[in-house]
Amino acid sequence: MPVTTRVTPEGPRRVWHRHTPQERLRYALGWALGVLVLALCWRLIAAQTTWLFVQDAPRQAGDLFSRMLPPRWSYAPTLLRPLWDTLNIATLGTLLALLVATPVAFMAARNTTPHPLLRAAALLIIVVSRSVHSLIWAVFLVYLVGPGVFAGVIAIALRSVGFIAKLLFEAIEEINPKPVEAVRATGGSGLQVLTYGVVPQVLPAWTGISVFRWDINIRESTFLGLVGAGGIGLQLNASVNALAWAQASVIFIAIFGLVLFSEWVSARVRGAIT
Amino acid sequence: MSAPASRRWTPPPLIRNPYLRYGLLVAGLAYLVAGVLSVPVDWARVAQGAERSARLFGEFLRPDFTSRWTDIQIGLLESLTMSVVATVAGVALAVPVALGAARNLAPLPVYLLCRAYVTLVRTFPEVVIAIVFVVMMGFGPFAGLLTLVLATTGFIAKLLAEDLEDIDRAPLEAVRASGASWAQLILYGVLPQVAPRFVGLFVYRLDINFRESTILGIVGAGGIGATLTTAMSRYDFDTAGAVLILIIAVVLALELLAGAVRKRVS
């Protein structure tokens, strides 16, 4: 705690400071650097922006809302099938991801991996899967398997594998080693150690992670249709391209409802297991 | 061993109530059948895809960074700058919302208003918000920037509000007892308690914003996504491969940075 002496008319006074002078210099330099980076970034964006359009934005926004309201409710029944498709993309994609991610997680966890080389391979799968957004996966899959729900399911699965495997392998690495040792001490085989020592400890985490990812996947599967991978995003894309904003607002409301539903389910399940 | 079969030990089930357990199982299986059956799969097209994937991965293995380097550079810079500005602006705007959404610091009407805002913003995916902003602001990174700012406010406000609700009450009371104003209470009683988490959330959101910025280009809101989709629609898979490698590299770098910063501050 640095204390300096300051001369005042009433005599010397000791003043407390939170930081030493060196610390203050470092903070000031850090802030200056941050502001500089921010200013440079902003300049780049400003240069790429057509300000004429931005000035026009309030009028455009007003125009947009007047076209969106009232929502064309008669359009709602046509959304039932796309909503079902969206739900399927998220759910089947999550299930498919679980099938792949669970063994990958056991290979990636330091305490359950059969071989360091397999661990490296599992970590590579996790990194590639996690770093690429599901919409980008969808772009590739629409090219590979054609447009439709199937491409969406695979895209969601490919993105979720990394997410689920990462959280799961971290949970596996954090387990209590004592039950594992106890099962091993009774002469359990490798598989028995896994099923009786490890699995019961990570099962709640596994369930929680699955539901958590499913919740995220519902949200993501609402827009995969933008690139043709099925679900309600297809209708959104069509309505926006046709400037049918009264339909788009019905779709927005449908997405809102679906996401709220998935959050409610996910909160219920996570509440039940903890 | 001749123990009767009924005395065998079995692990306890995950769900104790048998009706709920088997009910969920049956409902789950029924859904699975209905769901799988309703996904149309054109196997001829998928078989064709196997052929295409050979070409796609072949080209991905020989990424071409040079022939469209200007496009890639612009896209990547746009994504990075969008993420940085959006994170700073979004976090700054999120702080008052978070204070309002913390039940222990805000009066009930303010609390409900802020919570409603957080729920509304967090419900819509970034891409969907971007569509609306592109219509209002025109194509380009500004629409993407606004999208990310909005999404960041919802995200940070929710997580920060949860941290604020968990803070220790004793320092608050000590500061209040010394006659501090509300601003002083926040500055000396609350801020020091949440500052490390706050920094952690900042870098975490920077990481997320970059990931999201890689797709906003698909709806015309700027960033590397536009470069990627252009390359894909031209069947320039070698360029698409290069873009993908760069995205993965930047995401990894940001994740490592976020991890290092969070380790240092906590």
Side-chain angles (χ1 to χ4, degrees), chain A residues 191-202:
Chain A
L191 193 67
Q192 283 172 324
V193 169
L194 218 54
T195 44
Y196 293 101
V198 181
V199 170
Q201 292 197 57
V202 294

Side-chain angles (χ1 to χ4, degrees), chain A residues 48-49 53 57 61 81 84 88 91 95 130 133 136 140 143-146 219 222-223 226 245 252 256, chain B residues 31-32 38 45 49 52-53 78 122-125 127-128 136-137 141 211-212 215 228 232 235 237 255:
Chain A
Q48 297 280 334
T49 307
F53 287 148
R81 176 67 206 225
W84 169 248
N88 282 337
T91 314
L95 288 175
R130 266 167 51 78
H133 202 286
I136 295 178
F140 294 143
Y143 169 73
L144 286 180
V145 302
R219 212 176 290 233
T222 57
F223 58 71
L226 294 177
W245 289 103
F252 287 146
F256 188 70
Chain B
Y31 165 75
L32 203 61
S38 72
R45 182 67 180 77
R52 287 183 168 205
S53 69
E78 262 183 27
R122 279 175 49 83
T123 302
F124 289 105
V127 196
V128 177
M136 290 188 334
M137 307 286 166
R211 279 166 208 251
E212 293 294 333
I215 57 158
L228 185 69
M232 279 302 285
Y235 298 114
F237 299 130
E255 202 173 284

Side-chain angles (χ1 to χ4, degrees), chain B residues 103-179:
Chain B
R103 190 66 202 94
N104 51 348
L105 300 172
L108 190 63
V110 178
Y111 169 78
L112 290 177
L113 192 75
C114 289
R115 282 282 163 179
Y117 171 79
V118 167
T119 310
L120 191 69
V121 167
R122 279 175 49 83
T123 302
F124 289 105
E126 277 86 342
V127 196
V128 177
I129 301 176
I131 292 176
V132 178
F133 274 128
V134 168
V135 172
M136 290 188 334
M137 307 286 166
F139 292 109
F142 193 68
L145 174 71
L146 289 183
T147 307
L148 292 180
V149 168
L150 197 70
T152 305
T153 55
F155 178 87
I156 298 284
K158 177 165 189 267
L159 294 183
L160 191 58
E162 276 162 17
D163 289 335
L164 289 171
E165 285 175 348
D166 283 342
I167 59 173
D168 187 3
R169 296 205 61 82
L172 279 190
E173 272 160 36
V175 176
R176 202 178 276 139
S178 68

